[in-house]
Amino acid sequence: MSRIVTVGAAQMGPIQKDHTRTEVIERLITLLRQGHQAGCDLVVFPELALTTFFPRWFIDDITQADHWYETEMPSPVTQPLFDEAKKLKIGFCLGYAELTTDGHRFNTQILVERDGSIVAKYRKVHIPGHEHNEPDRPFQHAERYYFEPSMEGFGVWNAFDGRIGMMICNDRRWPESYRVMGLQGVEMILCGYNTPIHYVPDPSQDILQGFHNSLVMQSGAYQNGSWVIGVAKGGVEEGVDSLGQSMIVAPSGQIVAQAFTTGDELISARCDLDWCAKYTGTLFDFERYRRPEVYGRITSQRGVVID
Ligand code: CDT
């Protein structure tokens, strides 16, 4: 038996500060049409896919940043993307900055089914970077100023004839993200990211960005028997060089498709969701082999405790 979902990872090149939402939506629609030509059921876009990665700048009055956030989805400016996807009968996953009516700010991703309905919303759990202005940096990574962490955690939804989960960028570096979804029977995890190649706190990691990117997604896929779709916004955006290397990873941990540019580029793969059971039914048969009775520290403490 096989349950094939043809997935497109719609990598984006940079979005500069002065690019309008309308221009960006046109690029997303072009990628969507490429996905249609490739036979995709689902196209996945990056984290914060509608704007430049604005947490690289600090501003004292956060309301001055309101224009980077979406207050409704779809909105008049994003509606054409929804309309085109529905016309082409393609689902999509879209990352954007969300400002709620009661003033909360989240780094958000939605999953839209082939009929145009929003089936799930995920808000980023692990918020990296810093809360305050650090003027000595060449650029800021002030996500902890611009976004609050989700308290809802990692959901898994019935969609695309399978069990679909979502995470955003830094979440992919944490094994707990995958495992919480694995414990809900996830079969495909969708992850948008923006990863500056220069890691300011420890530049010795710069050269390893690509290695770490594939390391975490390949191991997360394998250890949980799930497809992982990692989609970058890459290239030089406002002077900051960001990793591309979007990839589609099989439940075996093997990369089955990978972007070779740092620009707008659609890669795709036929993903058999039934392949997950080869891993979740054998080596990673959680019910048979896991030992939650000795994993208490995972949820009872946050940092390292030395007895
Ligand atoms: N967007 C995002 O989460 N980026 C982080 C950058 C490293 S933390 C400064 C990442 O984990 O890729």
Side-chain angles (χ1 to χ4, degrees):
M1 215 177 86
S2 61
R3 278 178 298 141
I4 306 292
V5 182
T6 301
V7 179
Q11 178 175 284
M12 297 183 76
I15 301 175
Q16 310 301 351
K17 199 174 188 172
D18 60 356
H19 290 175
T20 66
R21 296 278 206 294
T22 305
E23 288 169 332
V24 173
I25 290 291
E26 279 172 17
R27 284 168 63 185
L28 298 182
I29 288 175
T30 298
L31 287 161
L32 203 62
R33 288 180 180 150
Q34 289 172 10
H36 179 63
Q37 283 176 350
C40 292
D41 302 295
L42 169 64
V43 167
V44 183
F45 296 114
E47 173 193 34
L48 301 179
L50 299 176
T51 64
T52 199
F53 190 79
F54 62 86
R56 73 168 61 90
W57 298 288
F58 195 89
I59 46 172
D60 291 324
D61 176 2
I62 199 167
T63 63
Q64 297 295 308
D66 284 358
H67 62 101
W68 297 123
Y69 295 78
E70 310 303 312
T71 53
E72 53 178 337
M73 187 60 67
S75 61
V77 76
T78 52
Q79 187 66 52
L81 177 68
F82 284 72
D83 292 344
E84 185 70 10
K86 188 174 176 182
K87 192 176 100 190
L88 299 174
K89 297 189 176 63
I90 302 183
F92 65 92
C93 176
L94 178 73
Y96 61 93
E98 177 191 9
L99 176 57
T100 67
T101 45
D102 53 350
H104 294 281
R105 296 167 193 272
F106 297 104
N107 190 336
T108 296
Q109 214 171 250
I110 50 165
L111 179 61
V112 179
E113 256 290 6
R114 289 155 285 192
D115 63 0
S117 59
I118 296 177
V119 289
K121 177 185 278 189
Y122 166 74
R123 291 166 171 157
K124 190 171 182 176
V125 168
H126 299 98
I127 310 290
H130 48 102
E131 293 83 354
H132 305 293
N133 194 18
E134 298 188 6
D136 290 340
R137 285 174 169 256
F139 56 89
Q140 306 291 304
H141 197 107
E143 274 197 70
R144 293 175 73 85
Y145 176 67
Y146 286 109
F147 301 117
E148 52 187 282
S150 157
M151 295 304 290
E152 297 146 8
F154 297 97
V156 173
W157 295 271
N158 292 322
F160 299 90
D161 306 316
R163 299 278 297 156
I164 311 294
M166 290 189 276
M167 61 185 179
I168 300 178
C169 196
N170 190 259
D171 291 325
R172 77 196 189 287
R173 302 186 193 272
W174 299 91
E176 294 87 349
S177 311
Y178 304 86
R179 184 49 53 89
V180 169
M181 288 188 263
L183 287 167
Q184 299 171 75
V186 76
E187 294 174 316
M188 180 176 283
I189 298 174
L190 315 177
C191 177
Y193 62 89
N194 283 260
T195 296
I197 289 173
H198 181 37
Y199 182 58
V200 178
D202 176 17
S204 76
Q205 296 180 32
D206 295 3
I207 200 168
L208 301 171
Q209 287 292 357
F211 168 62
H212 289 156
N213 184 50
S214 55
L215 177 71
V216 291
M217 291 198 285
Q218 289 184 262
S219 54
Y222 168 63
Q223 290 169 346
N224 295 279
S226 177
W227 291 88
V228 173
I229 319 297
V231 187
K233 175 141 64 64
V236 182
E237 192 180 84
E238 296 295 338
V240 177
D241 199 4
S242 294
L243 187 73
Q245 299 188 17
S246 301
M247 62 181 72
I248 298 176
V249 185
S252 60
Q254 292 167 291
I255 298 171
V256 298
Q258 184 166 16
F260 64 95
T261 72
T262 53
D264 288 13
E265 179 184 349
L266 185 111
I267 58 168
S268 64
R270 281 165 52 84
C271 304
D272 182 357
L273 300 182
D274 282 330
W275 205 265
C276 301
K278 289 184 177 290
Y279 291 86
T280 57
T282 58
L283 258 170
F284 296 110
D285 180 342
F286 289 171
E287 182 62 36
R288 185 168 185 192
Y289 296 118
R290 286 185 77 249
R291 296 286 315 285
E293 61 278 19
V294 298
Y295 303 154
R297 284 181 190 272
I298 298 284
T299 54
S300 66
Q301 72 188 58
R302 187 200 301 248
V304 174
V305 174
I306 297 172
D307 293 328

